[in-house]
């Protein structure tokens, strides 16, 4: 019982000193925090082989004042076979537009990544419901279904 009280005392003492969020320990802008919060990643797989990785940020939650008329995503992909043309689906629908971006672009600060061997895209889809399911395909390799939800 005595050990339990000592442990409980230390837990209470240290929990009172805890920070409110994980982001308070980093020097990030509000936009970077929203980008990190919205970021999702998936490996591109076919059976037991991995061919690349994709990172996606749902821009409507990061900058709703700029991206509210359609569903916008910032996509960073690294695929071993750079000649494969990517296919992206949102709730099984094709995008309205796909714009390939340079390694350094207006969204670079959201992921803090800009490499020449990756490809970057701004992708727009028609307006959807509250639950979004994004899939990235490159040749026969497919990402997991990445789930995004709209803020209320």
């Amino acid at each position: 019982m005595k050990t339990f009280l000592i442990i409980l005392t230390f837990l209470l003492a240290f929990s009172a000193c805890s920070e409110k969020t994980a982001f308070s320990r980093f020097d990030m802008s509000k936009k970077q925090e929203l980008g990190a919060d919205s970021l999702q990643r998936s490996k591109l797989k076919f059976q037991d082989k991995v061919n690349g990785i994709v990172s996606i940020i749902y821009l409507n939650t990061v900058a709703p004042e700029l991206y509210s008329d359609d569903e916008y995503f910032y996509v960073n992909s690294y695929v071993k076979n750079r000649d494969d043309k990517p296919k992206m689906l949102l709730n099984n629908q094709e995008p309205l537009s796909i714009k390939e971006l340079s390694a350094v672009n207006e969204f670079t600060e959201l992921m803090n990544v800009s490499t020449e061997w990756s490809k970057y895209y701004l992708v727009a889809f028609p307006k959807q419901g509250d639950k979004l399911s994004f899939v990235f395909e490159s040749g026969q390799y497919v990402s997991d279904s990445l789930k995004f939800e709209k803020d209320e």
Side-chain angles (χ1 to χ4, degrees), residues 7 31 34 52 75 80 85 88 94 97 118 130 147:
I7 292 172
K31 193 173 179 180
L34 291 170
V75 178
K80 290 179 186 175
K85 185 170 169 62
M88 298 174 233
E94 298 280 332
S97 67
S118 292
D130 288 341
K147 308 291 185 192

Side-chain angles (χ1 to χ4, degrees), residues 9-107:
T9 303
F10 278 111
L11 285 174
L12 288 174
F14 288 117
S15 67
C17 300
S18 68
E19 300 289 332
K20 293 190 185 329
T21 69
F23 295 118
S24 62
R25 296 211 176 251
F26 299 97
D27 186 23
M28 300 173 101
S29 69
K30 185 67 175 168
K31 193 173 179 180
Q32 287 173 318
E33 286 180 25
L34 291 170
D37 193 40
S38 176
L39 176 68
Q40 292 194 35
R41 289 190 168 99
S42 176
K43 295 176 184 172
L44 299 175
K45 301 175 280 191
F46 176 69
Q47 295 173 348
D48 63 342
K49 295 181 183 176
V50 175
N51 189 47
I53 190 166
V54 64
S55 303
I56 300 169
I57 293 178
Y58 180 45
L59 293 173
N60 293 49
T61 59
V62 175
E65 65 282 354
L66 298 174
Y67 304 103
S68 61
D69 54 333
D70 290 316
E71 309 296 351
Y72 290 92
F73 294 86
Y74 176 57
V75 178
N76 170 357
S77 68
Y78 169 75
V79 180
K80 290 179 186 175
N81 185 357
R82 294 182 54 90
D83 296 330
D84 285 346
K85 185 170 169 62
K87 180 179 179 184
M88 298 174 233
L89 300 171
L90 184 66
N91 295 343
N92 293 319
Q93 289 189 352
E94 298 280 332
L96 296 171
S97 67
I98 299 175
K99 179 181 176 187
E100 190 167 342
L101 305 170
S102 65
V104 177
N105 57 64
E106 62 184 298
F107 307 108

Side-chain angles (χ1 to χ4, degrees), residues 105-123:
N105 57 64
E106 62 184 298
F107 307 108
T108 301
E109 71 174 311
L110 297 177
M111 282 190 200
N112 288 330
V113 174
S114 62
T115 59
E116 293 300 323
W117 55 83
S118 292
K119 290 193 176 182
Y120 305 88
Y121 304 96
L122 174 61
V123 185

